[in-house]
């Protein structure tokens, strides 16, 4: 079992990075995991000024874990229910959980900041892969004085066992919402996203009010362990897919032995914006017959027409293969900003027409067969 000290998180630091500016915040330590000794890593004290995270690139502790054989998880009673837990805690009576850690996921050249946030729910708010938590940020709702803020939903980025494999934590992947003045082009601090900034600014030990879990559309179907799962994500929409992939390739789950194909398409701005890339790359090395990983970097890659590379361009690139997999029963999932869907739908329609098929009929059949899963926001 991996144990995470609340005040510290082990992170990998890019070779050649300037440690002189951070010497006071880091110290070298060995990481012991599954009775194995790992190479020394740098430990970042998250009790230090959290604002430093905004200018540093650190990698999740979980990346260290991906090098291990499959991990034993507990409690296995989490596998017993036949139906997913739903809305155990509601907005009027939320559960008060505790922040374990906050880590910056992206590099210095990424536009914006995305954080990996681990929350301790003590095993009291169980969930399944593909579900969401609601978060109620502290303070008053400016539109309803005297009332709390509205609930914000976040897809859970961990399996039901959490990043510590003990069933007591959940992880969120959160992009800090900031707004820019249209005239000056500069960030306007008075219009920051309330909840995302609360989460990204949190420190270990801080309390957080959560609701849920909610959602059934993105649950991972496990009736056929040899099924094909095609996952298409933009940005933080990769969250539920991280949970799927950890369950498939990292955890030793007696009731679920994955032997199918998982194919992830991830669209972000550039290399520094990739999320959980080390985890996914490790799966590619360890399970080359069961995992495929394609990246669309809109600011660094060009599509066939010479324009920016988006996920729909990658879909078009592999369209024949994707359509054949769908014809054979593959599940396809979409998660991310709702603006991703029109371009993807247009691409799929164009490909269907080139194949002499009606996209409307095909989509209707995919939905009827429960192969089509969409969660956009």
């Amino acid at each position: 079992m991996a144990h995470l000290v609340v005040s510290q998180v082990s992170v990998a630091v890019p070779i050649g990075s300037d440690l002189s500016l951070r010497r006071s915040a880091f110290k070298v330590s060995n990481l012991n995991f599954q009775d194995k000794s790992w190479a020394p890593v740098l430990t970042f004290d998250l009790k230090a000024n959290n604002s430093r995270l905004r200018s540093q690139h650190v990698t999740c502790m979980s990346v260290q874990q991906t090098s291990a054989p499959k991990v034993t998880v507990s409690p296995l009673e989490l596998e017993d229910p036949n139906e997913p837990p739903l809305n155990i805690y509601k907005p009027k009576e939320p559960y008060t959980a505790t922040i374990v850690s906050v880590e910056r996921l992206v590099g210095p050249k990424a536009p914006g900041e995305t954080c990996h946030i681990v929350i301790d729910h003590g095993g009291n708010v169980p969930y399944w892969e593909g579900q969401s938590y609601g978060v109620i940020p502290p303070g008053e709702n400016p539109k309803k004085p005297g009332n709390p803020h509205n609930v914000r939903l976040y897809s859970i980025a961990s399996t039901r066992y959490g990043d510590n494999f003990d069933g007591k934590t959940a992880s969120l992947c959160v992009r800090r919402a900031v707004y820019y003045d249209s005239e000056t082009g500069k960030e306007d601090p008075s219009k920051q996203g309330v909840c995302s900034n609360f989460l990204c600014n949190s420190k270990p030990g801080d309390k957080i009010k959560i609701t849920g879990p909610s959602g059934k559309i993105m649950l991972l179907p496990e009736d056929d362990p040899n099924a094909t799962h095609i996952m298409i994500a933009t940005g933080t929409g990769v969250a539920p897919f991280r949970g799927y992939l950890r369950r498939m390739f990292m955890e030793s789950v007696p009731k679920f032995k994955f032997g199918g194909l998982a194919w992830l398409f991830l669209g972000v701005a550039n290399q520094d914006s990739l999320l959980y890339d080390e985890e996914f790359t490790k799966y590619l090395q360890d399970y080359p017959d069961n995992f495929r990983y394609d990246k669309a970097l809109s600011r660094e890659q060009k599509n066939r027409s010479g324009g920016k590379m988006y996920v729909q361009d990658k879909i078009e690139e592999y369209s024949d293969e994707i359509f054949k997999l769908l014809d054979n029963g593959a599940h396809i999932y979409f998660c991310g900003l709702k603006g991703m869907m029109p371009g993807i739908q247009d691409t799929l329609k164009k490909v269907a027409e080139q194949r002499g098929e009606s996209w409307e009929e095909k989509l209707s059949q995919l939905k009827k067969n429960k192969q089509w899963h969409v969660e956009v926001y």
Side-chain angles (χ1 to χ4, degrees):
M1 189 64 61
H3 296 282
L4 183 61
V5 180
V6 168
S7 62
Q8 297 178 337
V9 174
S10 297
V11 296
V13 180
I15 295 172
S17 57
D18 182 6
L19 294 184
S20 63
L21 300 177
R22 321 173 210 178
R23 199 174 298 277
S24 62
F26 285 96
K27 66 179 182 180
V28 176
S29 60
N30 286 315
L31 177 64
N32 292 312
F33 177 72
Q34 292 293 102
D35 299 321
K36 295 179 185 293
S37 180
W38 300 84
V41 294
L42 292 169
T43 300
F44 183 72
D45 186 354
L46 283 168
K47 287 184 177 178
N49 186 352
N50 203 54
S51 64
R52 289 185 179 183
L53 287 174
R54 300 191 67 174
S55 61
Q56 297 167 0
H57 179 198
V58 300
T59 306
C60 278
M61 176 184 172
S62 56
V63 173
Q64 298 290 332
Q65 297 162 357
T66 59
S67 299
K70 284 200 171 182
V71 181
T72 301
V73 293
S74 67
L76 290 178
E77 288 76 16
L78 291 176
E79 303 292 326
D80 292 344
N82 292 320
E83 292 294 324
L86 286 170
N87 302 311
I88 300 171
Y89 288 91
K90 297 178 172 62
K92 290 186 177 179
E93 294 182 348
Y95 180 78
T96 301
T98 304
I99 297 290
V100 174
S101 62
V102 178
E103 305 172 52
R104 179 182 168 101
L105 285 175
V106 295
K109 294 180 181 177
E113 178 182 30
T114 302
C115 295
H116 181 78
I117 296 152
V118 180
I119 299 167
D120 183 352
H121 60 77
N124 297 308
V125 196
Y127 57 89
W128 284 8
E129 299 74 23
Q131 290 192 297
S132 299
Y133 270 172
V135 176
I136 303 175
E140 279 191 5
N141 186 334
K143 296 180 180 178
K144 297 179 181 178
N147 292 296
H149 284 286
N150 294 332
V151 173
R152 273 74 163 181
L153 289 178
Y154 292 93
S155 298
I156 298 171
S158 49
T159 72
R160 66 193 71 184
Y161 298 101
D163 283 6
N164 287 351
F165 312 107
D166 61 2
K168 293 182 180 179
T169 69
S171 300
L172 304 181
C173 180
V174 179
R175 176 163 175 157
R176 185 189 293 273
V178 295
Y179 298 87
Y180 294 88
D181 186 286
S182 57
E183 293 182 2
T184 65
K186 294 183 179 180
E187 186 179 322
D188 184 350
S190 68
K191 295 182 180 178
Q192 291 180 339
V194 173
C195 198
S196 64
N197 279 273
F198 159 67
L199 289 167
C200 291
N201 289 336
S202 294
K203 297 177 178 61
D206 287 354
K207 300 301 178 183
I208 174 175
K209 292 181 178 180
I210 59 175
T211 66
S214 63
K216 296 179 75 172
I217 190 68
M218 294 292 285
L219 293 175
L220 179 66
E222 297 186 359
D223 52 325
D224 179 5
N226 297 315
T228 294
H229 303 272
I230 303 167
M231 300 159 279
I232 298 163
T234 57
T236 57
V238 78
F241 306 142
R242 178 183 185 256
Y244 296 177
L245 295 169
R246 286 171 76 89
R247 187 164 174 84
M248 291 171 178
F249 301 126
M250 184 183 287
E251 298 177 345
S252 177
V253 182
K255 285 189 174 182
F256 184 59
K257 303 291 187 182
F258 183 67
L261 172 65
W263 191 353
L264 174 63
F265 292 86
L266 176 57
V268 293
N270 55 23
Q271 190 75 24
D272 268 20
S273 302
L274 288 169
L275 304 172
Y276 309 112
D277 185 57
E278 290 88 349
E279 283 189 41
F280 303 150
T281 300
K282 190 66 171 66
Y283 301 147
L284 202 58
Q285 294 170 357
D286 292 346
Y287 301 94
D289 296 331
N290 303 97
F291 183 53
R292 293 175 67 173
Y293 178 31
D294 282 278
K295 297 171 268 193
L297 309 179
S298 61
R299 299 188 185 181
E300 294 180 356
Q301 296 174 332
K302 300 292 184 185
N303 61 23
R304 289 175 176 176
S305 303
K308 291 183 176 182
M309 175 71 79
Y310 294 108
V311 283
Q312 58 261 38
D313 298 308
K314 282 291 181 182
I315 293 170
E316 186 173 11
E317 190 177 324
Y318 293 101
S319 58
D320 281 345
E321 202 170 349
I322 290 171
F323 270 66
K324 286 175 184 175
L325 290 169
L326 291 173
D327 289 342
N328 289 323
H331 290 271
I332 190 165
Y333 311 80
F334 304 88
C335 191
L337 294 174
K338 59 185 176 183
M340 71 186 276
M341 289 309 294
I344 289 172
Q345 290 267 32
D346 289 346
T347 296
L348 292 171
K349 184 176 181 179
K350 181 173 73 173
V351 171
E353 289 173 351
Q354 290 170 352
R355 292 166 57 91
E357 300 180 55
S358 163
W359 172 243
E360 287 72 19
E361 290 179 11
K362 191 170 193 68
L363 177 58
S364 177
Q365 192 63 43
L366 290 171
K367 289 179 178 179
K368 183 179 178 181
N369 295 343
K370 298 182 179 179
Q371 294 171 252
W372 183 266
H373 313 262
V374 179
E375 184 172 84
V376 292
Y377 38 85

